Amino acid sequence: MAIKPTTSANLPANQNSAKPAIPGFIRQLIKLKAATEEQAIEIVTTAKAEHITIMAQMIKMRIAPPSVLAKAASLEYGLSYVDLDALIIGPDVLSLISDEQKQRLNLLPLYRMGQRLLVGIADPTHLPNMDDVKFATGLTPDPVFVEYNKLNGYLQHSESLAAAAAGDDGAAAMSSGMMVSNEAIVQNIALDTQELRAKNEGEEVEIVSFVDKLLVHAITSKVSDIHIEPYEKTLRIRFRIDGILQVIATPPIDIATKLVARLKVMAKMNISERRVPQDGRIRITLKNEKNIDFRVNTLPVLYGEKVVMRILDSSNATLGVDKLGFEAKQKADFLAALAKPDGMILVTGPTGSGKTVTLYTGLGMLNTPEVNISTAEDPAEINMPGVNQVNVNAKVGLTFADALRAFLRQDPDVIMVGEIRDLETAEIAIKAAQTGHLVLSTLHTNSAPEALTRLMNMGVAPFNIATSVHLIIAQRLARRLCEKCKKPADIPKEALTKLGFKEDELSTLKIFKAIGCDACSNGYKGRVGIYQVMPISQTMGRMVMDGGNSMDIADQAQKERILDLRQSGLNKIRAGLTTLEEVERVTKD
């Protein structure tokens, strides 16, 4: 149900002007790219005509997902955003405000902290209702923004809230199975609003709760990286979700040192050393006994230490080749290369493009009791039983090259090198590929043809490249469209042909755009791989030995009907898996 309208006092000024003023709340949506200026004008004009609030009109128009509306309001009014799904409300708190008042005021009491009461609202025009809350409860209300659909769900079932809460044990159960207390959630909120300050012996407990909540929230939100960044007057926490960084909290700068110290303790780092970068690892065991690892790195910056945590989920290694996103021929070429007893398979692409998952998917298919597999990584991101994994450590003299030399004395069948960075590692890897071993590795190049010229530029003999490299995969990860809310996009035919679509397919071509709903993030949910899978043919081998460049090899790949990244991306668009904007973003040079 829509948020109930209150008064018209909050309608925008300049009502009689041809172009109505756009409130700051809607401007936050424009900054978040969730609305255009034209849509903003339509919202203000229609809300005025229908005598409803700005928020009610945006809900009516489905202008953005509920979470985006709540976050935009929190940014504009300087209040916190709270996910109601992460908080279970106690019966004593629910009884502070009657069901009739909750419905009439469109709000929900969430948590009591002494003489302060956390109160959830969804519409900024309901902020004046805090006076009614104070009169009814005798407590000082602290408003926070929540998603309107979740608030309405609570209000519609308000009669059963107290009974449901009374039967709960007072803990919030996350979807991952890990249990987190209400106190941890509320301390996260309070830190975000700069109202909670740790005191004396309670200080450590509060930071511990904040960190626990942060890590669990990252796991349940399918985050790949957590960024904790101190600035002169603010502390920013961002999550990378589906490859895109999003601000999720701005706690007070006061807690930065304590927060970093807590993470260092968990990651077994030196908490007294703040002048140099450090690496560590945190492991969390969920209630279902699933282990999640965090690779932690600290970096001294101008106003403290920045912390980045990469979430390492070993279940990613068991995706299966069918879920990677290969085209039929690409999958066949990949499987054919894995079936060979020797040679080299290279995977290329920028950091975060899924190279490790592709390699481990291949290793998972090769991982049988009859095969001896060894890997050298910096560090090992995915734990795979049955595979001998080595973390290289240059500080103690264990480099990729040193690990490779040791592997060759360990009777290997398959060798995986995390990355070929220098001539020494490249030459040893190629030697292994030429002497009866299957070698898998990665390079940082933009395309498959460039990987061959990169090896030549390192100093590897062209003959050795041509005779040892069997397959090169270039890849990117594009955000996958949400199946629940995607809608057809209306794009001019001239633009489609310019982008690479064929004239004869335009009449039946259906392209979708991202919309956004409760089940996704701005219209996207998950990611899909875009690949260029290039077997090295005899013609390409001769071109390498003749000193051919990457452009010559790319032209030959096209003659052999090998899809480049852009063409593979267009196929994902044809299949309705992603958008033109995503393919443009991940395949542009």
Side-chain angles (χ1 to χ4, degrees):
M1 78 181 188
I3 298 295
K4 295 179 181 178
T6 52
T7 68
S8 60
N10 294 288
L11 290 174
N14 304 327
Q15 293 181 359
N16 298 322
S17 62
K19 188 175 181 180
I22 300 175
F25 173 29
I26 306 182
R27 292 207 172 274
Q28 291 291 349
L29 285 175
I30 296 174
K31 289 180 183 178
L32 294 170
K33 297 183 178 180
T36 64
E37 191 158 346
E38 291 75 16
Q39 289 174 318
I41 293 171
E42 181 184 356
I43 291 167
V44 175
T45 305
T46 309
K48 174 187 173 183
E50 297 187 6
H51 303 288
I52 61 176
T53 68
I54 295 292
M55 174 65 86
Q57 180 59 31
M58 287 193 291
I59 294 170
K60 186 177 179 181
M61 292 175 60
R62 297 181 181 273
I63 198 70
S67 60
V68 175
L69 294 180
K71 289 172 185 175
S74 70
L75 289 170
E76 175 63 20
Y77 291 89
L79 300 174
S80 287
Y81 156 69
V82 177
D83 185 355
L84 284 178
D85 288 344
L87 186 66
I88 288 181
I89 308 166
D92 54 333
V93 175
L94 286 170
S95 62
L96 290 172
I97 302 176
S98 69
D99 290 342
E100 184 276 330
Q101 285 179 308
K102 296 188 193 88
Q103 295 279 359
R104 178 171 55 84
L105 301 176
N106 268 287
L107 52 79
L108 193 69
L110 303 179
Y111 192 81
R112 180 175 179 174
M113 298 173 287
Q115 291 302 303
R116 307 189 76 86
L117 179 66
L118 208 67
V119 180
I121 62 172
D123 192 325
T125 62
H126 296 151
L127 283 168
N129 294 344
M130 294 303 108
D131 291 338
D132 292 335
V133 173
K134 186 173 184 179
F135 180 79
T137 65
L139 303 173
T140 302
D142 290 330
V144 296
F145 283 105
V146 298
E147 297 168 43
Y148 69 83
N149 58 323
K150 295 179 181 177
L151 175 63
N152 291 340
Y154 269 89
L155 295 178
Q156 288 172 357
H157 301 88
S158 58
E159 294 180 359
S160 60
L161 282 177
D168 191 79
D169 62 359
M174 312 304 280
S175 60
S176 64
M178 175 173 271
M179 305 299 288
V180 182
S181 67
N182 276 348
E183 285 75 13
I185 296 168
V186 171
Q187 280 150 8
N188 187 2
I189 297 162
L191 287 166
D192 188 27
T193 57
Q194 303 191 23
E195 290 173 353
L196 180 64
R197 290 295 185 270
K199 295 180 180 180
N200 302 327
E201 66 273 6
E203 180 174 319
E204 182 179 349
V205 175
E206 289 162 355
I207 294 297
V208 168
S209 298
F210 181 89
V211 171
D212 290 346
K213 170 63 173 61
L214 181 70
L215 299 184
V216 173
H217 184 37
I219 294 170
T220 59
S221 300
K222 305 297 183 183
V223 171
S224 61
D225 300 89
I226 305 170
H227 291 242
I228 301 173
E229 304 161 309
Y231 298 97
E232 184 176 9
K233 296 180 180 179
T234 59
L235 178 63
R236 181 172 71 175
I237 300 178
R238 295 189 288 173
F239 284 174
R240 188 178 293 280
I241 303 175
D242 294 335
I244 305 296
L245 279 171
Q246 302 177 19
V247 178
I248 60 101
T250 54
I253 191 63
D254 309 31
I255 72 162
T257 302
K258 304 180 186 70
L259 180 58
V260 173
R262 171 60 183 166
L263 291 170
K264 282 184 170 181
V265 169
M266 295 175 70
K268 296 180 173 59
M269 296 180 182
N270 183 354
I271 62 171
S272 63
E273 180 56 78
R274 303 176 183 174
R275 300 165 298 174
V276 296
Q278 295 188 62
D279 292 293
R281 203 176 184 101
I282 296 172
R283 168 163 288 191
I284 288 181
T285 302
L286 303 182
K287 187 178 179 181
N288 59 9
E289 298 185 356
K290 178 181 179 181
N291 292 325
I292 302 292
D293 290 335
F294 294 77
R295 190 180 73 196
V296 186
N297 176 266
T298 64
L299 177 71
V301 292
L302 194 59
Y303 295 104
E305 291 178 278
K306 175 178 178 178
V307 180
V308 175
M309 293 181 280
R310 166 69 58 88
I311 301 178
L312 310 175
D313 187 351
S314 296
S315 63
N316 287 336
T318 59
L319 284 176
V321 69
D322 291 326
K323 292 187 178 180
L324 290 180
F326 285 127
E327 306 283 337
K329 183 179 183 304
Q330 292 175 339
K331 174 185 171 182
D333 289 337
F334 182 49
L335 296 179
L338 287 174
K340 294 181 179 180
D342 56 18
M344 179 179 286
I345 299 173
L346 292 174
V347 182
T348 77
T351 300
S353 59
K355 299 188 298 294
T356 301
V357 172
T358 300
L359 287 175
Y360 266 93
T361 299
L363 290 181
M365 299 174 69
L366 298 169
N367 187 18
T368 64
E370 298 80 23
V371 179
N372 179 21
I373 304 175
S374 296
T375 73
E377 301 168 77
D378 184 23
E381 294 188 4
I382 296 173
N383 179 34
M384 180 173 283
V387 175
N388 306 290
Q389 297 172 278
V390 174
N391 283 332
V392 300
N393 188 344
K395 292 181 181 179
V396 299
L398 180 57
T399 64
F400 279 118
D402 295 322
L404 275 173
R405 290 192 188 94
F407 289 166
L408 293 175
R409 295 190 290 271
Q410 290 273 315
D411 185 30
D413 297 301
V414 179
I415 295 172
M416 197 269 272
V417 186
E419 182 184 350
I420 295 178
R421 299 174 179 172
D422 52 56
L423 175 60
E424 184 181 19
T425 304
E427 288 184 330
I428 299 172
I430 283 180
K431 178 183 177 183
Q434 291 174 325
T435 55
H437 309 93
L438 182 62
V439 179
L440 290 75
S441 190
T442 71
L443 276 175
H444 281 286
T445 62
N446 290 326
S447 67
E450 289 177 36
L452 294 172
T453 55
R454 174 69 185 278
L455 290 173
M456 287 190 281
N457 292 337
M458 280 185 179
V460 180
F463 174 80
N464 290 334
I465 298 172
T467 56
S468 60
V469 179
H470 290 170
L471 183 76
I472 304 176
I473 301 173
Q475 69 179 75
R476 302 289 188 274
L477 288 177
R479 288 184 292 174
R480 184 189 291 267
L481 275 167
C482 175
E483 292 296 329
K484 290 187 177 180
C485 66
K486 68 180 183 181
K487 290 185 178 179
D490 186 14
I491 301 172
K493 291 184 177 181
E494 296 78 12
L496 292 176
T497 53
K498 187 176 180 180
L499 289 167
F501 291 101
K502 298 176 182 178
E503 187 76 33
D504 58 2
E505 68 175 321
L506 297 183
S507 59
T508 58
L509 183 65
K510 184 177 284 189
I511 294 178
F512 293 90
K513 62 181 178 180
I515 299 297
C517 67
D518 301 341
C520 65
S521 176
N522 297 324
Y524 298 99
K525 187 174 183 179
R527 289 191 284 180
V528 61
I530 296 175
Y531 300 93
Q532 178 185 26
V533 180
M534 189 177 80
I536 307 304
S537 64
Q538 290 183 352
T539 303
M540 290 183 188
R542 284 194 296 270
M543 293 175 70
V544 170
M545 288 188 284
D546 292 339
N549 58 38
S550 59
M551 295 178 65
D552 297 331
I553 297 168
D555 290 340
Q556 178 60 31
Q558 286 293 298
K559 292 177 183 178
E560 297 180 16
R561 297 185 178 182
I562 294 171
L563 299 179
D564 61 22
L565 287 168
R566 182 55 173 256
Q567 293 164 337
S568 183
L570 295 182
N571 280 345
K572 295 297 187 292
I573 295 171
R574 291 184 180 99
L577 297 176
T578 190
T579 61
L580 281 168
E581 293 80 6
E582 274 299 287
V583 172
E584 284 282 336
R585 181 178 68 86
V586 301
T587 63
K588 63 183 179 181
D589 294 331

